[in-house]
């Protein structure tokens, strides 16, 4: 695998999920593969799970790991070409990415959207500049529009826990006090489209995801109708795509509660974390046996390990 920016970089999703499960069963079976190889993890935004799970995965494969938090530790970067750099930015991404390429065999990048200018966010300037100027394979640690390592971990979790051949998977919008990106739901939808599931997306009107991601995925505006018969309930907030980056209303009635979970087909509750308790989902859901959020977070290691293994094999 030459890069991992989206599901479109994966030939066979089923095989990659199986690889993640093999890595989980035997975490050190490929520890020679990454010997004398270095991964650089570059964070333009905060992280707990992605940072630590990718580190663990790389270490299990025998790799060295270096981490750069650009906000605190690095020079402020310029991304536009032809700029006269007489302002706050001390370094251009052309040099910064090139230098990272000198130090690392694989580069991971996290760069959230601004949520101010949709076209600008969709250009994915940070991650695409890293691909262009580093000369190294790049793995997305969440970009402006996608979070593929999270989605692969979600696929692994559903594979482990499904009780029927073709489970009903419901992605439900949930409230949140801050405007959040569409990256997790976008990615979840495009990965689920490659799995044997019945996917339904439910949200209040105005929170429609980009048609580029939704394609012909079913939308149900009535959350109760959507949850009926669900085997998996995946809660996530996102801001509006049409009124880009906006919170349109506060909709506390969309919180996932124990009562709503009781109306499903004994569904498992999923969330990518971090989760705001009693805003996105109530304590009774998060503390119930139905919640698999920790298993899901644990599977971030094995999804990263499967991807890094494929990238190391292609070096
Ligand atoms: N789910 C996820 O990406 O968590 P972090 O933001 O903590 O990495």
């Amino acid at each position: 695998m030459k890069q991992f920016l989206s599901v479109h970089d994966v030939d066979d999703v089923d095989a990659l999920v199986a690889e993640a499960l093999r890595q989980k069963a035997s975490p050190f079976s490929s520890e020679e593969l990454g010997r004398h190889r270095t991964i650089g993890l570059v964070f333009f935004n905060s992280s707990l799970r992605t940072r630590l799970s990718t580190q663990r995965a790389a270490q299990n494969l025998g790799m060295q790991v270096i981490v750069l938090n650009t906000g605190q530790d690095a020079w402020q970067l310029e991304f536009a070409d032809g700029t006269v750099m007489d302002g706050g930015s001390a370094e251009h991404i052309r040099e910064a990415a090139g230098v990272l390429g000198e130090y690392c065999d694989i580069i991971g990048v996290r760069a959230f959207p601004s949520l101010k200018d949709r076209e600008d966010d969709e250009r994915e300037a940070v991650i695409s500049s890293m691909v262009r100027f580093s000369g190294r394979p790049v793995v997305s640690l969440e970009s402006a529009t996608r979070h593929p390592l999270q989605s692969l971990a979600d696929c692994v979790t559903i594979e482990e826990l499904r009780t029927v051949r073709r489970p009903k998977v419901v992605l439900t919008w949930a409230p949140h006090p801050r405007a959040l990106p569409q990256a997790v739901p976008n990615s979840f939808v495009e990965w689920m489209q490659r799995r044997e599931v019945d996917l339904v997306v439910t949200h209040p009107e105005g929170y429609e995801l980009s048609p580029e991601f939704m394609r012909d995925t079913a939308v149900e505006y009535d959350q109760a109708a959507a949850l009926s018969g669900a085997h998996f309930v995946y809660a996530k907030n996102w801001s509006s795509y049409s009124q880009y980056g906006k919170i349109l209303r506060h909709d506390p009635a969309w919180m996932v509660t124990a009562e709503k979970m009781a109306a499903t087909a004994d569904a498992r509750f999923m969330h990518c974390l971090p989760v705001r308790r009693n805003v996105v989902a109530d304590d009774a859901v998060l503390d119930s046996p139905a919640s698999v959020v920790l298993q899901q977070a644990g599977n971030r290691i094995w999804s990263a390990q499967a991807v890094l293994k494929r990238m190391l094999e292609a070096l």
Side-chain angles (χ1 to χ4, degrees):
M1 193 185 294
K2 299 286 184 203
Q3 63 176 19
F4 185 73
L5 308 184
S6 81
V7 74
H8 305 295
D9 294 314
V10 180
D11 292 336
D12 185 339
V13 172
D14 293 350
L16 193 60
V17 169
E19 179 71 80
L21 289 168
R22 273 197 302 278
Q23 295 302 309
K24 185 171 185 172
S26 186
F28 306 111
S29 55
S30 301
E31 64 184 334
E32 282 301 308
L33 191 61
R35 213 161 104 85
H36 299 159
R37 298 289 192 184
T38 298
I39 185 168
L41 304 178
V42 183
F43 286 90
F44 287 82
N45 309 96
S46 305
S47 170
L48 188 160
R49 280 145 291 273
T50 305
R51 180 190 309 266
L52 300 183
S53 62
T54 310
Q55 274 192 307
R56 264 292 302 274
Q59 287 163 353
N60 287 351
L61 291 165
M63 300 184 81
Q64 303 289 319
V65 183
I66 52 181
V67 180
L68 180 67
N69 301 308
T70 61
Q72 311 145 26
D73 301 346
W75 302 109
Q76 189 174 319
L77 293 178
E78 174 62 53
F79 289 87
D81 278 333
T83 310
V84 177
M85 288 175 56
D86 57 359
S89 298
E91 177 150 38
H92 200 280
I93 187 66
R94 285 176 177 261
E95 283 75 47
V99 169
L100 285 162
E102 294 288 322
Y103 300 159
C104 305
D105 298 290
I106 296 174
I107 298 172
V109 184
R110 166 166 282 199
F112 289 172
S114 67
L115 293 180
K116 292 191 176 86
D117 180 332
R118 187 163 88 183
E119 286 181 11
D120 193 46
D121 286 342
E122 289 179 342
R123 268 193 288 278
E124 298 275 15
V126 178
I127 209 156
S128 58
S129 297
M130 200 63 78
V131 170
R132 191 169 160 210
F133 300 123
S134 72
R136 297 293 183 183
V138 172
V139 53
S140 170
L141 305 176
E142 186 172 348
S143 73
T145 61
R146 290 178 167 96
H147 195 357
L149 284 177
Q150 178 66 56
S151 304
L152 176 55
D154 300 337
C155 291
V156 170
T157 308
I158 290 171
E159 181 63 22
E160 288 180 312
L161 294 170
R162 69 185 167 88
T163 53
V164 295
R165 189 181 58 82
R166 191 177 176 85
K168 180 178 181 182
V169 177
V170 179
L171 171 63
T172 180
W173 184 94
H176 198 281
R178 298 182 61 187
L180 298 186
Q182 296 103 25
V184 168
N186 282 345
S187 222
F188 185 72
V189 165
E190 70 178 359
W191 281 73
M192 283 299 117
Q193 287 164 350
R194 303 268 290 265
R195 303 292 291 162
E196 194 173 351
V197 301
D198 286 325
L199 176 64
V200 177
V201 180
T202 184
H203 54 73
E205 288 193 30
Y207 288 101
E208 290 78 12
L209 292 166
S210 162
E212 181 200 340
F213 289 95
M214 286 297 287
R215 300 193 196 173
D216 56 0
T217 298
V219 177
E220 169 57 70
Y221 291 103
D222 179 341
Q223 189 190 39
L227 294 180
S228 174
H231 299 101
F232 292 91
V233 175
Y234 196 119
K236 183 72 184 84
N237 172 268
W238 60 89
S239 57
S240 175
Y241 180 73
S242 55
Q243 295 181 59
Y244 189 66
K246 297 274 185 303
I247 297 175
L248 304 181
R249 291 172 302 276
H250 290 280
D251 300 90
W254 279 75
M255 178 170 72
V256 178
T257 62
E259 290 72 28
K260 291 179 186 179
M261 291 297 290
T264 66
D266 210 10
R268 303 302 186 116
F269 175 80
M270 300 179 71
H271 189 282
C272 61
L273 305 182
V275 64
R276 299 228 180 191
R277 282 177 170 256
N278 303 308
V279 176
V280 172
D282 67 12
D283 285 340
V285 172
L286 286 162
D287 297 333
S288 74
S291 174
V292 296
V293 297
L294 297 185
Q295 182 172 339
Q296 199 182 342
N299 283 334
R300 293 293 307 275
I301 300 172
W302 318 115
S303 71
Q305 196 160 321
V307 167
L308 294 181
K309 179 171 181 282
R310 293 286 169 88
M311 292 176 93
L312 285 166
E313 285 165 349
L315 285 177

